[in-house]
């Protein structure tokens, strides 16, 4: 569970009025996560808690309803079109975070991830499952369901929550909405024929609404009907207004940017990312304790059945999907191994990517090790034990792994894109390359090998990386300001800044 970050500086400049904010998300790391959205959903509401009363709404997957935390039913919502009725449960986390759980066993209590079965296939009724989430948020915002807590603002995340602002709009609610894009490539696009099932009015199927090339897009709904859009780094906020990164929505996003309705607020990492105290590590270590770091490296080599080595250890901790550029890592692996490096890979994702990683390990026995699956302890040990983290992402809205790695003295070798460009200082805290190509990647790796051979240089870079100020304080201020402005605007007064 994330540790609360100090937000005292933010408090000094903030008004005393706490806004009530409903944070609508499909993952929260305490209970269930498939990637960074889960981490952010666990950390950001907690980091905001000194300033605002932020409560989370999440579907009642098995990982949620079967957790050790008791759930008390506090409300009930009726059905709408093909969306079934559901109950609202309240879960109080030990540190005070309130999570509203959407209880609807027929939609959510299935073995698998939040989005699909364990074989990687998405649930065919995801449009119903996540429309139900969006509608529940809108109903809570309207004061329905006897929840006895009515938000001043709804903050919805990614396509699964995209219909929340839309249902609020169609119901004439004045409550302001903020929509955060964590990944523009996942859009929740379904046939327009689904509109009646979801209770979507016919007039919404237009360019200014949720229509996307003749289909219905949950992501577009979130963008079109919210009061403001954010994404998770300044560079990605610019990139998504271009055809290269805009996933077909660049024109729409450019016009939002021109109207001042699109901004980038970078993610942070929570205070549990402290190498000297992390209980997951086999050997917690402080700045300059490189022998301690080496104990973690030996553990990772053991875990991945790598031969003992004095060469550099490269880690991949990633969802195994196209975005992450794993084919490029495959392409440079021979170069890494020939130069005396080893690679440890952990993650899961698309079946073809998983298979490609297994085959890579078979090609280089004892030098490349792969574990398909994910667990937090191994991930943390890999950040602590590795010398370098490989992150050749084709695009990266923010990226958390490169920040975790730096905090644990592992220097990222990453593509200069999105949040990677904003959080890695080339040649100072890691190595950046420009093109999604093997030569460009290899050039950065050559520099990494060069630094590895110069212990003074390597250790100086590790120190710079480990002391980067990546905590949530920096993000809390802009979010708090935005919450205030949006609520202020909606009640016809200016913000408190
Ligand atoms: P993304 O959200 O695109 O996967 P981030 O770098 O923002 O990338 O976040 C990655 C987070 O997800 C880290 O906490 C990482 O340890 C974790 N993670 C990586 N791969 C997986 C996986 N296959 N399943 C669950 N969590 C994962
Ligand atoms: C997405 C992005 C990642 C980002 C995370 C949290 O999954 O791919 O870059 O860090 O969301 O915002």
């Amino acid at each position: 569970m994330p540790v609360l970050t100090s937000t005292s500086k933010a408090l000094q400049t903030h008004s005393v009025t706490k806004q009530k904010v409903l944070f609508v998300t499909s993952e929260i790391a305490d209970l269930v996560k498939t990637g960074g959205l889960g981490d952010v959903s666990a950390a950001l509401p907690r980091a905001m808690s000194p300033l605002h009363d932020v409560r989370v709404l999440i579907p009642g997957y098995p990982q949620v309803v079967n957790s050790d935390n008791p759930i008390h039913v506090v409300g009930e919502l009726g059905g709408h079109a093909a969306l079934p009725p559901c109950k609202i449960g309240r879960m109080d986390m030990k540190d005070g975070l309130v999570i509203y759980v959407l209880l609807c066993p027929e939609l959510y209590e299935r073995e698998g991830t939040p989005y699909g079965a364990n074989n990687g296939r998405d649930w065919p009724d995801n449009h119903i499952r996540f429309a139900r989430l969006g509608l529940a948020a809108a109903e809570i915002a309207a004061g329905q369901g006897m929840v006895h807590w009515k938000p001043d603002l709804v903050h919805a995340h990614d396509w699964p929550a995209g219909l929340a602002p839309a249902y609020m709009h169609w119901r004439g609610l004045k409550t302001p909405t903020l929509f955060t894009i964590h990944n523009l490539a996942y859009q929740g696009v379904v046939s327009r024929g689904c509109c009646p099932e979801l209770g979507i009015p016919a007039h919404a199927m237009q360019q200014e609404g949720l229509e996307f090339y003749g289909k219905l897009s949950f992501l577009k709904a979130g963008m079109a009907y919210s009061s403001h859009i954010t994404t998770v780094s300044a560079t990605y906020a610019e990139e998504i207004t271009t055809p290269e990164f805009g996933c077909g929505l660049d024109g729409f996003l450019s016009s939002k940017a021109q109207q001042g309705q699109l901004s980038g607020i970078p993610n942070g990492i929570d205070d549990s990312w402290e190498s000297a105290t992390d209980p997951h590590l086999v050997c917690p270590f402080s700045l300059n304790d490189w022998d301690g770091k080496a104990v973690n490296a030996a553990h990772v080599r053991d875990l991945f059945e790598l031969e003992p080595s004095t060469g550099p250890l490269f880690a991949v901790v990633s969802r195994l999907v196209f975005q992450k550029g794993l084919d490029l890592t495959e392409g440079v692996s021979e170069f890494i191994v020939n130069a005396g490096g080893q690679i440890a890979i952990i993650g899961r994702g698309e079946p073809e990517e998983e298979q490609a990683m297994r085959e890579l390990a078979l090609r280089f026995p004892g030098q490349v090790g792969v574990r398909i699956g994910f667990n937090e302890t191994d991930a943390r040990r890999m950040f602590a034990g590795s010398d370098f983290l490989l992150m050749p992402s084709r695009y990266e809205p923010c990226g958390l792994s490169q920040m975790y790695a730096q905090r644990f003295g592992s220097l990222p070798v990453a593509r200069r894109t999105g949040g990677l460009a904003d959080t890695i200082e080339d040649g100072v805290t890691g190595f950046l390359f420009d093109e999604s190509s093997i030569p460009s990647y290899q050039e950065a790796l050559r520099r990494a090998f060069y630094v590895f051979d110069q212990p003074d240089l390597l250790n100086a870079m590790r120190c710079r990386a480990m002391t980067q100020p990546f905590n949530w304080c920096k993000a809390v201020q802009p979010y708090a300001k935005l919450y205030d402005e949006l609520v202020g605007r909606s009640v016809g007064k200016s913000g408190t800044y």
Side-chain angles (χ1 to χ4, degrees), residues 33-37 39 183 273 317-320 323-324 346-349 373-374 376 379 383 391 396 399-402 404:
K33 82 161 176 175
T34 68
L37 171 62
D39 290 356
N183 197 327
W273 290 94
V317 181
S318 180
R319 287 184 298 117
L320 303 181
Q323 168 191 353
K324 302 294 178 179
I346 193 170
R348 69 175 166 231
F374 185 81
E376 189 68 24
F383 291 129
M391 219 165 155
E396 196 60 73
L400 298 170
S401 292
Q402 81 283 4
Y404 298 152

Side-chain angles (χ1 to χ4, degrees), residues 176-353:
T177 46
L178 176 61
F179 184 66
T180 296
I181 302 168
H182 295 262
N183 197 327
L184 193 68
Y186 297 86
Q187 304 190 346
V189 173
V190 292
S191 146
R192 63 190 304 149
C194 296
C195 283
E197 285 178 273
L198 307 183
I200 293 176
H203 63 76
M205 277 303 286
Q206 47 153 327
Q207 251 191 334
E208 289 71 39
L210 45 66
E211 190 260 347
F212 183 64
Y213 293 102
K215 295 189 168 181
L216 181 176
S217 162
F218 278 49
L219 186 86
K220 176 109 182 286
M223 301 189 323
Y225 294 107
S226 54
S227 322
H228 191 88
I229 305 167
T230 58
T231 187
V232 286
S233 70
T235 296
Y236 193 61
E238 279 175 25
E239 286 174 341
I240 56 179
T241 62
T242 67
E244 188 188 349
F245 294 95
C247 302
L249 288 159
D250 39 290
F252 185 85
L253 284 163
S254 295
S255 85
K256 288 285 176 189
Q258 276 157 19
Q259 294 160 42
Q261 288 172 14
L262 168 66
S263 47
I265 303 181
N267 292 327
I269 65 176
D270 71 68
D271 291 354
S272 71
W273 290 94
E274 174 49 64
S275 62
T277 53
D278 190 336
H280 293 92
L281 303 191
V282 282
C283 179
F285 65 102
S286 323
L287 207 61
N288 288 315
D289 174 14
W290 310 127
D291 291 342
K293 187 166 166 67
V295 175
N296 292 290
H299 171 82
V300 174
R301 285 195 163 94
D302 258 10
L303 190 67
F304 285 85
E305 294 174 15
L306 300 177
E307 287 170 8
S309 164
T310 52
L313 178 60
F314 293 82
V316 174
V317 181
S318 180
R319 287 184 298 117
L320 303 181
V321 295
F322 179 75
Q323 168 191 353
K324 302 294 178 179
L326 296 148
D327 50 320
L328 294 171
T329 293
E330 227 181 303
V332 297
S333 56
E334 191 167 345
F335 171 83
I336 291 179
V337 171
N338 287 344
Q342 295 176 316
I343 313 175
I345 304 168
I346 193 170
R348 69 175 166 231
E350 288 158 10
E352 316 77 58
E353 302 269 0

Side-chain angles (χ1 to χ4, degrees), residues 415-463:
R415 173 132 188 267
R416 195 192 305 275
T417 184
L420 298 173
D422 296 353
T423 57
I424 299 168
E425 249 187 281
D426 190 28
V428 179
T429 66
F431 304 90
L432 291 171
F433 59 95
D434 289 307
E435 307 298 328
S436 253
S437 72
I438 290 169
S440 189
Y441 194 177
Q442 248 168 233
E443 190 275 327
L445 285 166
R446 237 177 239 119
R447 291 192 286 133
F449 273 100
Y450 172 81
V451 166
F452 185 80
D453 286 338
Q454 327 253 338
D456 289 350
L457 202 48
L458 175 69
N459 293 336
M461 283 187 76
R462 284 174 169 169
C463 288

Side-chain angles (χ1 to χ4, degrees), residues 17 49 53 173 268 388 407 422 479:
T17 326
S49 67
D53 175 11
L173 291 187
F388 301 103
R407 192 45 72 73
D422 296 353
Y479 273 118

Side-chain angles (χ1 to χ4, degrees), residues 472-495:
W472 275 101
C473 288
K474 269 202 273 179
V476 160
Q477 275 284 0
Y479 273 118
K481 184 165 186 287
L482 195 51
Y483 285 178
D484 277 345
E485 279 172 7
L486 294 172
V487 175
R489 218 186 290 158
S490 81
V491 295
K493 57 176 197 236
S494 60

